[in-house]
Amino acid sequence: MIRSADRTRTGAPAAAADLWWQTPPAPPDVQQGLSSAQVATLLQQWGPNRFVETRTPPVWLQFIGHFRNPLVLILLVASTLSALLGEFTNFFIINVIVLLSVTLDLAQEHRAQRAAEMLRQSIALSTRVLRDGTEQSIPLTELVPGDLVLLKAGDLVPADGIVIEARDCFVNQSVLTGESGPSEKRVEVPADACDIQSATHAMFMGSSVLSGSAKLLIVRTGAATEMGSIAGHLGQPATLTAFDIGTRRFNALIMRLTMLMVLIVLLMSLLSHKPWAESFLFALALAVGLTPELLPMVVSVTLARGALRMAREKVIVKRQTAISDLGAMDVLCTDKTGTLTEAKISMQSHVDPLGADSARVLELAYLNSWFESGLHNPMDVAILEHETIDTRDWRKIDEVPFDFERRRVSVLLEKNSARTLVVKGAPADILRACLYYENAGNTLLLDDDGLATVRATCDALEDEGFRVLAIACKAVPPDHPHAVVDDESALVLAGFAAFLDPPKASAGDTLRSLAELGVSIKVLTGDSERVTQHIFHALQLPIEAVVLGSDIEKLDDIALQARTETANLFCRLNPSQKGRVIAALRARGHVVGYLGDGINDAPSLQAADVGLSVDTAVDIAKAAADMILLQKDLNVLQLAVLEGRRTVGNVMKYLMMGTSSNFGNMFSMAGAALFLPFLPMKSVQILLNNILYDLSEVAIPFDAVDNDELNRPLPLDITLVRDFMWVIGPVSSVFDLLTFWILLRLFNANEALFQTGWFIESLCTQVLVIFVIRTRGNPLRSRPHPLLITSSIAVVLLAIALPYTALGVYFGFTPPPASFFGVLTLLVMSYLWVVEGIKQRFFRHRPPMLYASVVPRRRG
């Protein structure tokens, strides 16, 4: 039984000086593992395998937490000041607004969290363990000290532990040590394991297995791991996303407007010698009127509905605000395998350096793939499935695993006491390591003429669309003990293996459809430019320009930024070069998505605005991604892009409608206070107006977005919201002033009739204008959601009926004359007609939105 004596019940990290790996514990039965009863006891004792034992806080704590929103704080300040001034009706109404907003937000957020958690559970990372004598797959959080974990290439190390079995196991633990290269893990305990780097017999949470396999005895889980200790000590907040920055900018805009409006009204009141208390309450009501109380709820519901709709399109959202980034995405970077091709790779030929069929090339390729302990890629599978070769006379001595700098893998084999190094990899990298080549059973010097000949053979295969691997070998002394990178020199080129991955028939049409939606495709591949160009020609896709990894190495960041604008094929790239391309695109103002599923894709997934992976990806790629596609198909991604834009579109609707209407009405009230002998609307009436308007907009998250708006990237553009407010707000104020003149001149209105008439007119115009602003096209051709129609019409009818009720009398309303409603109809229709015309001109003359993704990626 493994004990973590230094660990508390909550998984507190041990002291840094406690180098637990120096005295590894005795393992349990390596054939049986823990029993179910032992697991239950240990899980109860040590808790789940996570850094912090996250428990959902009680509902009352979640409820209180929603009061930290800046918009809610404005309302609470106004409520408190109203109570201090004795205006308890205002106090009551403001608190009703706050409770309505917070309760709706909490209820919708709770539903969204439950739905999101169910979706996340469907793609939760798991690990293979040995329990009760059988191999099982369990969620990472259920891992306990004493478990025996079975690891292979591509797996994330799920917790800290001791290696009890290893087979050519190399891991990347740079997240903990900063090492640039892989670290080999062995069973033998080193003499002086004074730190993580020298603890070659231990593995640590957060590392990833690059090649080989291992059996790991778990010693520490959760916060007691080295990774948990680092995370606990750092405790830094996650970097804000572009969506978070956008909402914060909006909050700041509203707070600045609110403060400005309050100060202007108070100044006007002082100049006109009006009662300061009444004027102050009026100013507070204006502040409340400018506040979009339902913004948190609208954002929560809209993102949650977007995540659920995307799940129906076979896309699981891990980070909900990534939906906004997906809606704004204008560049998608992807490898070609599985997206442009069928990912059904088959071996087509195996030829010598001169192009003749060669059984020896097949044998060497088969031996390399058979004995390689790394993650078998599709070409390894194709080799092993092409033909079965007897390997019983061969014995593996050692291996140099594949990495993305060398782009090759070597195995040291022995047969009949003779040892041979067999190497397989990218042709360009293999040829650089070759000094000889085989020709009709003879070994010849690879001089310039020979090099031109073998390159011509390789180029001919690639021009036909075949993916090519070069196969080489080298005889070594019988006592050669290990294979190292330096052994990969003076090799003998045996020949080439050619593979076919046919173009996906639907890919061409899908890429053209994405281009019509404003999303350009950049192919980032480690493969040859000849193969990639062949696929583009087969799909009838344009080739703008080709950039090679070697070209990128010669460019500085500024030059690379310019180059990425003109090229769409980036070939022979290593992972760091992919990252540079993504960074260059983002620096040019693009919102970049990256689709990847391999070990080498994790850095690129993190570097992009939206990291996209697939359900069949390796663990490290799925962990780095923001969204998981249940199907590696650009058709699925195209549907997800449209859903992302619908989601952002509805958030933008609420912001544009709320700010323009609220700003116009509040500005009118502030101006009217200058020349009227009474307040244009009582503070309690302003609050009632505001709460009714909010109720009319509750259904916005359910509304449709016009197809025209889905045909281009759609960011959360706060600048657009601000400009639209400055344009439409004054139009609303002009019609308010016209209403003032009509009420005073035509109806000779007293205070009560004036406030009643303007209450009805302002509410009718700002509610009904929803149907104009909700679409950028003709509102008669865009059908609103039935719930939006119902809520809006109900609020208008309530506003008209309110003066005829006892509640209306309580709020200071009086029934207007019948002729007022004829004038009201004319005013409202005129207002909607004018707003429609200005709206059309506003969007016609506004340049296409450019979404500069300057916000650092969130990684926590």
Side-chain angles (χ1 to χ4, degrees):
M1 182 74 64
I2 304 301
R3 293 182 56 85
S4 298
D6 56 327
R7 177 176 173 174
T8 67
R9 173 63 183 84
T10 56
D18 180 17
L19 305 181
W20 55 267
W21 55 82
Q22 291 184 339
T23 53
D29 189 336
V30 295
Q31 302 300 323
Q32 293 294 317
L34 296 175
S35 67
S36 299
Q38 289 175 311
V39 169
T41 301
L42 289 166
L43 191 60
Q44 178 67 28
Q45 183 179 5
W46 304 123
N49 179 34
R50 55 171 67 102
F51 292 159
V52 179
E53 191 165 347
T54 53
R55 296 180 179 177
T56 303
V59 175
W60 64 271
L61 274 180
Q62 296 181 51
F63 184 75
I64 292 175
H66 281 72
F67 287 87
R68 294 195 300 265
N69 186 284
L71 302 180
V72 173
L73 292 176
I74 293 176
L75 298 177
L76 292 177
V77 171
S79 169
T80 302
L81 293 174
S82 296
L84 293 175
L85 294 172
E87 290 291 332
F88 294 105
T89 302
N90 288 7
F91 171 80
F92 174 76
I93 292 178
I94 296 175
N95 281 319
V96 167
I97 293 174
V98 170
L99 290 174
L100 176 67
S101 172
V102 169
T103 303
L104 282 173
D105 189 24
L106 177 64
Q108 296 295 345
E109 184 181 89
H110 183 64
R111 289 183 56 195
Q113 285 176 345
R114 286 200 307 173
E117 182 60 28
M118 290 178 64
L119 294 176
R120 280 193 291 268
Q121 287 297 328
S122 69
I123 56 164
L125 295 181
S126 59
T127 189
R128 294 179 305 140
V129 299
L130 191 64
R131 288 179 178 176
D132 295 316
T134 61
E135 183 179 322
Q136 305 176 21
S137 180
I138 64 167
L140 292 186
T141 54
E142 295 181 9
L143 205 63
V144 296
D147 261 322
L148 295 176
V149 176
L150 309 176
L151 297 171
K152 65 181 186 306
D155 287 346
L156 284 173
V157 178
D160 292 358
I162 298 297
V163 178
I164 59 174
E165 291 180 14
R167 180 187 176 201
D168 299 314
C169 185
F170 287 80
V171 304
N172 179 351
Q173 56 188 26
S174 59
V175 68
L176 289 169
T177 65
E179 296 172 276
S180 58
S183 171
E184 185 174 7
K185 297 298 179 179
R186 304 183 180 90
V187 176
E188 295 80 18
V189 180
D192 183 22
C194 58
D195 54 26
I196 293 176
Q197 287 173 288
S198 59
T200 56
H201 66 304
M203 291 191 192
F204 304 92
M205 176 187 276
S207 305
S208 56
V209 182
L210 297 177
S211 63
S213 60
K215 182 181 288 186
L216 187 68
L217 170 63
I218 299 302
V219 177
R220 295 192 174 182
T221 60
T225 61
E226 296 300 311
M227 177 67 78
S229 176
I230 294 172
H233 286 128
L234 289 178
Q236 296 180 352
T239 305
L240 294 175
T241 65
F243 185 87
D244 297 327
I245 292 293
T247 53
R248 288 198 172 193
R249 286 180 56 204
F250 177 76
N251 288 340
L253 172 66
I254 292 300
M255 295 189 77
R256 286 195 297 268
L257 283 174
T258 300
M259 295 296 295
L260 180 63
M261 191 68 70
V262 169
L263 292 175
I264 289 175
V265 169
L266 289 176
L267 180 61
M268 289 177 176
S269 299
L270 289 174
L271 293 175
S272 57
H273 305 290
K274 292 181 180 176
W276 75 269
E278 188 178 67
S279 299
F280 188 67
L281 287 172
F282 179 70
L284 286 178
L286 289 182
V288 174
L290 276 170
T291 306
E293 301 87 356
L294 296 186
L295 176 61
M297 187 275 292
V298 168
V299 171
S300 296
V301 175
T302 306
L303 291 178
R305 282 180 56 82
L308 291 173
R309 285 197 301 265
M310 291 175 76
R312 288 195 289 269
E313 303 295 349
K314 299 183 179 180
V315 178
I316 305 301
V317 178
K318 292 173 58 183
R319 174 175 65 91
Q320 282 197 354
T321 54
I323 297 174
S324 168
D325 296 326
L326 186 65
M329 181 181 71
D330 65 332
V331 174
L332 174 65
C333 297
T334 178
D335 195 356
K336 59 182 177 57
T337 305
T339 52
L340 305 185
T341 66
E342 295 286 355
K344 298 177 181 176
I345 298 176
S346 60
M347 190 175 187
Q348 297 295 304
S349 63
H350 33 89
V351 300
D352 66 17
L354 301 185
D357 287 343
S358 170
R360 174 168 168 75
V361 170
L362 174 61
E363 180 187 29
L364 292 174
Y366 191 96
L367 291 172
N368 183 285
S369 295
W370 177 265
F371 287 106
E372 178 191 353
S373 60
L375 183 66
H376 277 180
N377 63 43
M379 286 190 284
D380 286 312
V381 175
I383 291 171
L384 297 176
E385 291 179 349
H386 182 72
E387 186 177 320
T388 301
I389 292 178
D390 190 357
T391 62
R392 287 175 295 180
D393 293 337
W394 293 88
R395 183 171 69 93
K396 179 179 177 181
I397 305 300
D398 201 5
E399 174 180 358
V400 182
F402 181 89
D403 68 55
F404 293 97
E405 297 298 326
R406 294 166 35 254
R407 300 203 304 167
R408 56 182 177 259
V409 57
S410 300
V411 291
L412 180 61
L413 305 177
E414 183 181 76
K415 181 181 181 181
N416 299 329
S417 300
R419 295 190 175 184
T420 304
L421 185 72
V422 182
V423 188
K424 175 180 89 250
D429 296 274
I430 293 290
L431 289 177
R432 278 195 293 269
C434 287
L435 190 58
Y436 308 95
Y437 71 102
E438 294 181 355
N439 181 11
N442 299 316
T443 300
L444 306 178
L445 181 68
L446 189 63
D447 55 15
D448 290 343
D449 291 338
L451 186 60
T453 300
V454 299
R455 279 180 173 166
T457 301
C458 180
D459 291 347
L461 292 170
E462 291 181 339
D463 286 340
E464 294 181 42
F466 293 120
R467 298 177 65 177
V468 179
L469 289 178
I471 313 299
C473 61
K474 175 183 177 180
V476 297
D479 60 349
H480 197 75
H482 298 292
V484 294
V485 173
D486 289 344
D487 292 333
E488 298 173 338
S489 61
L491 299 177
V492 180
L493 178 68
F496 303 99
F499 305 83
L500 179 64
D501 185 8
K504 185 177 291 187
S506 62
D509 291 337
T510 304
L511 290 183
R512 283 184 281 272
S513 297
L514 282 170
E516 292 173 0
L517 293 174
V519 179
S520 61
I521 303 294
K522 308 279 188 183
V523 173
L524 277 56
T525 179
D527 211 341
S528 158
E529 69 277 11
R530 293 175 179 271
V531 177
T532 309
Q533 289 179 91
H534 178 87
I535 291 172
F536 262 60
H537 289 315
L539 295 173
Q540 298 181 342
L541 295 171
I543 298 175
E544 297 167 7
V546 180
V547 177
L548 302 182
S550 56
D551 299 329
I552 292 175
E553 289 300 316
K554 302 173 186 175
L555 300 175
D556 61 21
D557 291 343
I558 302 299
L560 180 58
Q561 290 172 23
R563 198 75 181 92
T564 56
E565 292 287 353
T566 59
N568 62 341
L569 297 187
F570 298 83
C571 305
R572 302 183 188 269
L573 302 188
N574 60 37
S576 64
Q577 291 166 345
K578 289 183 180 182
R580 284 194 65 197
V581 171
I582 292 171
L585 287 166
R586 295 186 71 206
R588 295 284 289 188
H590 295 288
V591 180
V592 183
Y594 182 82
L595 175 59
D597 60 359
I599 296 175
N600 63 316
D601 288 317
S604 298
L605 288 166
Q606 291 184 311
D609 290 283
V610 190
L612 302 155
S613 193
V614 292
D615 193 35
T616 55
V618 297
D619 286 351
I620 190 171
K622 288 195 288 186
D626 299 308
M627 297 183 183
I628 304 293
L629 278 63
L630 301 183
Q631 196 174 323
K632 191 173 184 179
D633 191 333
L634 289 179
N635 281 314
V636 172
L637 185 58
Q638 179 182 348
L639 296 173
V641 167
L642 294 175
E643 288 298 341
R645 293 179 183 178
R646 289 189 186 99
T647 301
V648 178
N650 278 332
V651 174
M652 287 289 293
K653 270 184 206 177
Y654 175 79
L655 297 180
M656 292 170 67
M657 290 187 292
T659 52
S660 60
S661 297
N662 286 356
F663 176 72
N665 282 344
M666 298 308 110
F667 187 76
S668 301
M669 291 184 194
L674 271 177
F675 63 86
L676 287 177
F678 50 81
L679 292 176
M681 199 181 292
K682 293 179 179 178
S683 57
V684 69
Q685 294 167 344
I686 296 174
L687 298 175
L688 181 61
N689 179 294
N690 193 49
I691 194 172
L692 290 177
Y693 176 67
D694 284 339
L695 289 174
S696 71
E697 293 190 292
V698 167
I700 284 178
F702 303 93
D703 197 25
V705 177
D706 289 345
N707 289 331
D708 290 344
E709 295 186 51
L710 301 179
N711 290 334
R712 61 182 180 276
L714 189 61
L716 187 68
D717 191 349
I718 302 304
T719 302
L720 174 68
V721 174
R722 183 200 62 199
D723 293 347
F724 193 76
M725 178 184 72
W726 291 125
V727 171
I728 300 298
V731 175
S732 175
S733 295
V734 168
F735 274 85
D736 287 336
L737 294 174
L738 180 58
T739 302
F740 297 166
W741 184 86
I742 290 173
L743 287 169
L744 293 173
R745 292 303 180 97
L746 298 186
F747 293 97
N748 195 27
N750 58 19
E751 179 178 354
L753 180 59
F754 183 94
Q755 293 169 345
T756 302
W758 191 41
F759 176 87
I760 296 174
E761 183 270 344
S762 66
L763 197 55
C764 288
T765 52
Q766 65 181 332
V767 168
L768 294 178
V769 82
I770 289 174
F771 301 107
V772 174
I773 298 177
R774 59 170 291 277
T775 172
R776 296 188 185 185
N778 189 331
L780 299 178
R781 297 178 182 174
S782 178
R783 181 176 298 177
H785 194 280
L787 284 177
L788 185 60
I789 297 175
T790 302
S791 62
S792 300
I793 299 302
V795 167
V796 168
L797 293 177
L798 180 60
I800 293 173
L802 193 60
Y804 300 93
T805 65
L807 183 62
V809 174
Y810 174 79
F811 281 106
F813 296 129
T814 185
S819 57
F820 168 76
F821 293 103
V823 176
L824 174 67
T825 302
L826 182 61
L827 278 171
V828 172
M829 296 302 293
S830 300
Y831 174 68
L832 298 181
W833 180 77
V834 170
V835 169
E836 170 62 18
I838 294 176
K839 179 199 75 177
Q840 293 295 340
R841 283 191 291 275
F842 175 84
F843 288 113
R844 188 181 306 124
H845 295 105
R846 186 175 181 85
M849 285 180 288
L850 190 64
Y851 186 63
S853 181
V854 296
V855 182
R857 289 282 287 138
R858 180 264 321 133
R859 289 294 163 199

